[in-house]
Amino acid sequence: MLIIEAGELLHRHGLLTEEQVAMARSSANGGSVVDSAIQHGFVTEQNALRVLADETGLDYIDLRTTEVDLSLLETFPQKLIYRHSLFPIRRDNGAIVVATSNPFDLYPIDEASAATRCPMIPVLAERVEIAKLVKKHLGVGSETVEGLMASRGDEDIELLEAIEGDGSELAEMAQEASVVRLVNEILVEAVDSRASDVHVESQSAGLVIRYRIDGILHTQPVPPEINRFQAAIISRLKIMARMNIAEKRLPQDGRIKLRVHGREIDIRVSVIPMIHGESLVMRILDKGSMKFELRNLGMDEATYKTFSNLIRVPHGIILVTGPTGSGKTTTLYSSLLEIKSPENKIITTEDPVEYQLDGINQIQVHPKIGLTFAASLRSILRHDPDIVLVGEIRDAETAENAIQASLTGHTVFSTLHTNDAAGAFTRIVDMGIEPFLVASTVEGVMAQRLVRRLCKHCKEAYHPSHDELPSDFPFEALGDGVLYRSVGCRECRGVGYSGRMGIYELMITTEEIRQLAHDRVSSYIIRQAALRGGMKTLRMDAWRKTLEGSSSVDEVLRSTKGDALG
């Protein structure tokens, strides 16, 4: 009866129409009409809970702004937290205030009171916010470790390729439902957290799980009981990646294809034996979340226009430089999609092919069988391309082939590992390529880094003094004297940043720079010539984003070197 009254209460308050109540009732299947209405999108959980709180005389609380007494978790029965979405909040005159999302299910409240020998004061809170508290303070996978996953399915994650064990005892253990569920929890949480990498590390104290989010590693809280599952977790991941689980002495590489929340996820897995056991790193490639749009990468308008013209040159080499994880592939893919058309043929050779692009022919290199960048590039040139992308120029042979391709009328895109744009010339010459060839073929170099964006929900404005800012800060552009800094909130997991954007240093090869490269001068002299020609350095671009309020001074200092240092 209470379930029916709940639907009618929402109708009486104007949150549901009669038709919506009837539809929610018919699809509730014996469950809560309110939950059914929320799942249909008829009403938000927050609005529904506020009405139910008024009608039942309970308080509604926003857990995003509520202080939680974590000491209560020591005595509060965890099975009630997992099974019934309860969470103890604070003590109030000898009673425990406990958050619940269901005001009509009082049995778990009575059970918690009996277990703790304390009276309970229920308050209403959103289920998703209770779940966030559970994951934050009890750790990812804690529900599975308790063996309490019976009421939840695995509909959020689906393996796209069948896997098989080898019949060994370890393989059987890795296929147990609790281990499968635990590994799935780790992967789903990583995707939900926008992690680019997951580190599963075997250390002397046990298993440590860390997620790399926006370029920074964050240790993920896990329950201590997870150490009992250490071998099974690593074996499960190795089975999913089609590795040999019996081989524990040599490094192995593999790949997992998943569908998480309906999105295809590609995971590159690397296992290396360490002194305390195998450690595993997974690179997560979320195909559904990637948008390759050159205009939206964070370039200022002048840089975007110059680079947009550069990538349309009829022949020559265009280089993107930076360390691993600086967004080079994203810039190159965005560039190719910007110039892709039915009139040109684009072929790439990559290691690995991170994302599959429609309308572009992509080759995965296999050095073990002789299909290297250089070998594939030679074959590509017999395939009548207009534009070629070489994943990375690593050696003299690849560099020579790229130069030959540009000299025969092709546009060649590639990457290099250098600290700045000017260093690209000296890097290729150091490989053994004649300076006059480098000078005549390289049309431009884009150096880049990624800096974290300030969280828009909690960033704080402040007026810095001159002493707080480095000497190369552009004080003349500070205007009203306001900058922003990180604070930390629930939305950004207390970090103060959410997402990343590129900072760019674009050097166009002018006649002066060609002559300097031909004369084999140092990268410092080339850099000074580019600055005289109007080049904006990485540091300058980072300061621009700080002045706009997109990033912070701390982030600029963390990710770039001062221009005064050369």
Side-chain angles (χ1 to χ4, degrees):
M1 189 65 182
L2 282 172
I3 291 175
I4 298 174
E5 289 175 358
E8 290 176 351
L9 283 175
L10 298 183
H11 170 54
R12 194 182 309 153
H13 283 264
L15 295 182
L16 295 179
T17 65
E18 288 185 7
E19 293 78 8
Q20 288 173 334
V21 172
M23 193 179 301
R25 225 174 255 162
S26 65
S27 59
N29 294 323
S32 165
V33 172
V34 176
D35 287 345
S36 177
I38 292 169
Q39 289 168 5
H40 278 86
F42 298 154
V43 63
T44 65
E45 185 179 17
Q46 185 181 75
N47 289 339
L49 289 178
R50 287 185 184 279
V51 167
L52 296 177
D54 289 341
E55 292 290 341
T56 57
L58 301 177
D59 287 334
Y60 170 83
I61 63 171
D62 185 349
L63 290 179
R64 287 168 291 196
T65 57
T66 302
E67 290 289 329
V68 177
D69 182 358
L70 297 179
S71 67
L72 295 173
L73 290 173
E74 296 175 6
T75 56
F76 199 88
Q78 290 194 7
K79 65 180 182 179
L80 298 178
I81 293 176
Y82 302 127
R83 283 178 179 164
H84 301 286
S85 289
L86 302 183
F87 203 92
I89 303 301
R90 63 177 182 274
R91 291 191 182 275
D92 188 353
N93 294 325
I96 295 176
V97 177
V98 59
T100 177
S101 59
N102 188 347
F104 303 122
D105 188 6
L106 298 179
Y107 174 74
I109 305 291
D110 294 337
E111 194 175 343
S113 179
T116 59
R117 298 182 181 178
C118 286
M120 296 286 144
I121 303 175
V123 294
L124 295 187
E126 294 174 66
R127 187 185 301 270
V128 66
E129 294 302 327
I130 295 175
K132 285 180 181 178
L133 281 181
V134 172
K135 283 189 175 175
K136 180 177 181 181
H137 298 298
L138 294 176
V140 61
S142 51
E143 176 178 3
T144 311
V145 170
E146 289 290 315
L148 300 171
M149 67 283 189
S151 63
R152 295 176 56 188
D154 288 329
E155 67 277 1
D156 285 344
I157 188 167
E158 173 192 354
L159 270 172
L160 297 182
E161 294 178 340
I163 59 175
E164 296 179 3
D166 59 8
S168 66
E169 183 180 348
L170 191 56
E172 293 299 321
M173 190 190 308
Q175 301 289 52
E176 288 181 5
S178 57
V179 175
V180 171
R181 176 68 190 166
L182 180 51
V183 169
N184 288 354
E185 281 280 330
I186 292 170
L187 295 176
V188 171
E189 177 68 10
V191 172
D192 289 346
S193 303
R194 300 180 298 102
S196 60
D197 302 86
V198 179
H199 294 239
V200 182
E201 301 169 342
S202 299
Q203 298 185 1
S204 58
L207 203 64
V208 175
I209 297 176
R210 297 195 289 171
Y211 294 161
R212 189 178 294 281
I213 303 170
D214 295 334
I216 305 295
L217 280 170
H218 300 269
T219 300
Q220 180 68 30
V222 292
E225 296 85 355
I226 203 172
N227 292 329
R228 292 191 290 113
F229 296 88
Q230 178 171 333
I233 289 169
I234 291 176
S235 295
R236 169 65 182 172
L237 288 165
K238 287 172 70 175
I239 289 171
M240 292 171 73
R242 299 174 173 273
M243 295 179 185
N244 178 3
I245 66 168
E247 179 56 76
K248 300 178 184 295
R249 301 164 301 169
L250 296 173
Q252 295 186 69
D253 294 307
R255 180 175 177 175
I256 303 172
K257 286 188 175 182
L258 296 174
R259 186 175 286 116
V260 179
H261 304 316
R263 302 202 310 268
E264 278 197 27
I265 307 292
D266 200 359
I267 301 176
R268 305 295 164 84
V269 186
S270 171
V271 176
I272 297 180
M274 305 284 185
I275 59 172
H276 295 296
E278 291 176 294
S279 284
L280 186 146
V281 174
M282 293 177 280
R283 164 63 58 88
I284 297 175
L285 303 174
D286 186 351
K287 299 178 182 179
S289 69
M290 287 302 297
K291 292 188 172 79
F292 298 110
E293 297 174 355
L294 194 60
R295 184 173 281 280
N296 296 329
L297 295 184
M299 299 180 198
D300 63 44
E301 191 62 26
T303 302
Y304 168 75
K305 286 182 177 177
T306 305
F307 189 67
S308 185
N309 290 330
L310 176 65
I311 62 178
R312 288 172 168 82
V313 296
H315 53 81
I317 298 176
I318 296 147
L319 297 171
V320 179
T321 77
T324 302
S326 59
K328 299 188 298 294
T329 299
T330 300
T331 299
L332 287 173
Y333 280 0
S334 301
S335 301
L336 293 182
L337 291 175
E338 177 113 340
I339 60 179
K340 181 188 78 170
S341 79
E343 286 78 40
N344 58 36
K345 178 157 186 169
I346 303 175
I347 305 179
T348 75
T349 175
E350 307 169 60
D351 183 22
V353 175
E354 293 191 6
Y355 297 95
Q356 297 172 21
L357 307 177
D358 290 337
I360 292 175
N361 304 277
Q362 296 170 276
I363 299 171
Q364 168 75 56
V365 305
H366 291 285
K368 290 181 180 178
I369 61 172
L371 186 59
T372 60
F373 280 128
S376 60
L377 185 49
R378 285 195 300 271
S379 299
I380 286 172
L381 296 180
R382 296 193 291 271
H383 221 66
D384 191 28
D386 298 291
I387 298 159
V388 177
L389 183 147
V390 182
E392 183 184 344
I393 295 178
R394 297 175 178 170
D395 51 44
E397 188 181 6
T398 306
E400 286 173 0
N401 289 343
I403 285 171
Q404 288 303 316
S406 68
L407 290 172
T408 52
H410 303 88
T411 305
V412 179
F413 291 83
S414 193
T415 69
L416 272 178
H417 288 285
T418 63
N419 290 325
D420 58 14
F425 289 96
T426 53
R427 176 82 179 89
I428 298 178
V429 170
D430 287 344
M431 289 179 184
I433 307 301
E434 289 294 338
F436 75 90
L437 287 174
V438 180
S440 61
T441 54
V442 175
E443 295 294 327
V445 184
M446 173 79 89
Q448 67 178 77
R449 298 286 189 281
L450 293 177
V451 295
R452 293 182 291 172
R453 290 182 186 272
L454 284 167
C455 173
K456 62 183 179 182
H457 298 282
C458 65
K459 68 179 182 180
E460 177 183 74
Y462 73 108
H463 293 269
S465 66
H466 269 53
D467 294 339
E468 293 179 76
L469 300 172
S471 59
D472 66 331
F473 183 86
F475 293 98
E476 69 283 355
L478 193 51
D480 55 7
V482 174
L483 293 177
Y484 289 85
R485 58 188 169 199
S486 62
V487 178
C489 65
R490 287 286 297 280
E491 295 293 331
C492 61
R493 300 165 65 97
V495 177
Y497 299 91
S498 181
R500 289 187 291 177
M501 58 187 166
I503 55 173
Y504 301 94
E505 175 179 294
L506 178 58
M507 184 180 73
I508 300 298
T509 310
T510 61
E511 288 307 313
E512 180 185 6
I513 290 174
R514 285 193 202 282
Q515 187 60 50
L516 291 172
H518 178 276
D519 295 342
R520 208 168 186 155
V521 301
S522 70
S523 61
Y524 175 79
I525 296 175
I526 294 175
R527 176 185 173 86
Q528 296 306 310
L531 288 170
R532 289 194 299 274
M535 181 184 80
K536 300 290 190 295
T537 65
L538 288 166
R539 184 84 155 196
M540 292 175 188
D541 196 30
W543 286 136
R544 179 181 68 83
K545 289 176 168 62
T546 303
L547 290 165
E548 291 173 352
S550 301
S551 196
S552 68
V553 173
D554 289 342
E555 186 65 5
V556 173
L557 296 177
R558 184 188 71 83
S559 55
T560 64
K561 185 175 72 170
D563 290 329
L565 301 175

